[in-house]
């Protein structure tokens, strides 16, 4: 390739910005950017080539390091154990890692170039998700934003999202990177816990026996319908009151308090 450049210059076909390596006396590699100019005598006859070079070793090393870091970052994104997606400044998908594909069932090729919000977010959450992403495009990043994604087979997946502004080397905003966490199991566990607690509360409230509760200071924090019916005191009337001191007659206060203590 170097010989071809020099031979062409000898034929009058000059070259600009041709890159090639030179090796020094101690075998150190030096990257050179070459301009090869045809050399002529006073009659215009080609008599050789003048090469003007520039040592671009540092620049090449910086470019190679930049490429290496970019590749490492891409590998990290692709193999991360969390769904990661990216959008450009128009909201179109330009990043979709393996975990995002695994969770949603949509491959990278299927989603690339599609509008994330309009295509993959259900209508009820489009406005709120769009607001988070639009804010990130303005530099206002978001942490721990919850929203549902629907998979290819319409299974609902609950996602906890951190939305980070993506910038170019000049600091200009070029998109958003979203790092998510699949919290479907956690959400289902929370909902089940809430359901069981509600069922227990309903059981207490409707039980055909008086049920009361006190906290660690002896103050009433539970008083079901039957307790209200028997005593005539409503739940609102007794809540926060000391059960023993207010509602137990003096002769039994000590024994009742001993039982509760």
């Amino acid at each position: 390739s170097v010989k071809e450049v020099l031979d062409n210059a000898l034929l009058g076909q000059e070259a600009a910005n041709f890159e090639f390596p030179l090796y020094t006396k101690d075998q150190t590699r030096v990257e050179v950017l070459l301009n090869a100019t045809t050399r002529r005598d006073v009659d215009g006859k080609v008599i050789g080539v003048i090469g003007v070079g520039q040592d671009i070793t540092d620049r090449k090393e910086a470019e190679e390091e930049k490429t290496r870091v970019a590749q490492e970052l891409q590998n990290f994104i692709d193999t991360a154990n969390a769904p990661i997606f990216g959008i450009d400044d128009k909201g179109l998908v330009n990043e979709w890692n393996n975990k995002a594909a695994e969770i949603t069932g949509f491959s990278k090729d299927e989603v690339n170039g599609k509008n994330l919000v309009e295509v993959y977010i259900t209508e009820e959450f489009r406005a709120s998700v769009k607001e988070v992403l639009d804010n990130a495009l303005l530099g206002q990043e978001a942490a721990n934003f919850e929203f549902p994604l629907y998979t290819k087979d319409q299974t609902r997946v609950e996602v906890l999202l951190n939305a980070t502004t993506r910038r170019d080397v000049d600091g200009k905003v070029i998109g958003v990177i979203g790092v998510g966490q699949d919290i479907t199991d956690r959400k289902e566990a929370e909902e089940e816990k809430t359901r069981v607690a509600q069922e227990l509360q309903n059981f207490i409230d409707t039980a055909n026996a008086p049920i009361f509760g006190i906290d660690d200071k002896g103050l009433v924090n539970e008083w079901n319908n039957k307790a209200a019916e028997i005593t005539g005191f409503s739940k609102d009337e007794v809540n926060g009151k000391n059960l023993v001191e207010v509602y137990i007659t003096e002769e039994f206060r000590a024994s009742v308090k001993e039982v509760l203590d």
Side-chain angles (χ1 to χ4, degrees):
S1 57
V2 176
K3 186 176 185 302
E4 183 181 1
V5 168
L6 299 178
D7 286 348
N8 285 342
L10 286 169
L11 296 173
Q13 301 168 25
E14 299 180 343
N17 299 328
F18 175 71
E19 294 184 17
F20 72 99
L22 268 180
Y23 283 86
T24 66
K25 196 171 186 177
D26 63 1
Q27 293 302 299
T28 300
R29 179 174 171 139
V30 178
E31 300 291 338
V32 175
L33 185 68
L34 176 71
N35 288 351
T37 305
T38 306
R39 192 174 192 178
R40 301 173 188 272
D41 63 16
V42 291
D43 299 318
K45 180 183 175 183
V46 175
I47 58 171
V49 175
I50 287 289
V52 179
Q54 178 185 352
D55 182 353
I56 59 168
T57 307
D58 291 344
R59 192 191 81 185
K60 288 284 287 185
E61 288 176 353
E63 288 173 355
E64 289 169 1
E65 177 65 8
K66 183 180 175 183
T67 301
R68 185 190 65 77
V69 170
Q71 186 59 53
E72 282 190 2
L73 177 60
Q74 190 62 53
N75 288 341
F76 167 77
I77 289 173
D78 286 342
T79 60
N81 195 32
I84 298 176
F85 67 83
I87 59 169
D88 62 19
D89 57 357
K90 297 179 180 64
L92 306 182
V93 177
N94 57 11
E95 192 65 69
W96 194 260
N97 77 339
N98 297 342
K99 196 66 176 179
E102 176 190 326
I103 289 174
T104 65
F106 294 106
S107 70
K108 189 170 186 174
D109 290 340
E110 287 178 290
V111 301
N112 262 355
K114 302 283 180 61
N115 189 295
L116 177 72
V117 173
E118 291 179 8
V119 179
Y120 300 104
I121 306 298
T122 56
E123 190 171 355
E124 62 180 316
F125 286 94
R126 277 177 199 157
S128 57
V129 174
K130 186 175 187 302
E131 183 180 5
V132 167
L133 298 178
D134 285 349
N135 285 341
L137 285 170
L138 295 173
Q140 302 167 26
E141 300 179 343
N144 300 329
F145 174 71
E146 292 184 19
F147 72 99
L149 265 180
Y150 280 84
T151 66
K152 201 169 189 178
D153 63 3
Q154 293 303 298
T155 301
R156 178 172 170 142
V157 178
E158 300 290 340
V159 175
L160 186 68
L161 176 72
N162 288 352
T164 304
T165 307
R166 195 173 196 176
R167 301 174 187 272
D168 64 15
V169 291
D170 299 318
K172 180 185 174 185
V173 174
I174 57 172
V176 175
I177 284 287
V179 179
Q181 179 185 350
D182 182 355
I183 58 169
T184 307
D185 291 342
R186 193 191 81 186
K187 289 284 285 185
E188 288 176 353
E190 288 173 355
E191 288 168 3
E192 178 64 9
K193 183 179 176 182
T194 300
R195 185 190 65 77
V196 170
Q198 186 58 53
E199 281 190 2
L200 178 60
Q201 190 62 53
N202 289 339
F203 168 77
I204 290 172
D205 288 341
T206 61
N208 196 31
I211 298 175
F212 68 85
I214 59 169
D215 63 17
D216 58 355
K217 296 179 178 64
L219 307 181
V220 177
N221 56 12
E222 193 63 70
W223 194 261
N224 77 341
N225 298 341
K226 197 67 176 178
E229 176 189 328
I230 290 174
T231 64
F233 294 108
S234 70
K235 190 171 185 174
D236 289 340
E237 287 179 290
V238 300
N239 260 356
K241 303 284 180 60
N242 189 294
L243 177 71
V244 173
E245 292 179 6
V246 179
Y247 300 104
I248 305 300
T249 57
E250 189 173 355
E251 62 180 312
F252 287 97
R253 277 177 197 159
S255 56
V256 172
K257 188 173 187 303
E258 183 180 2
V259 169
L260 299 177
D261 288 347

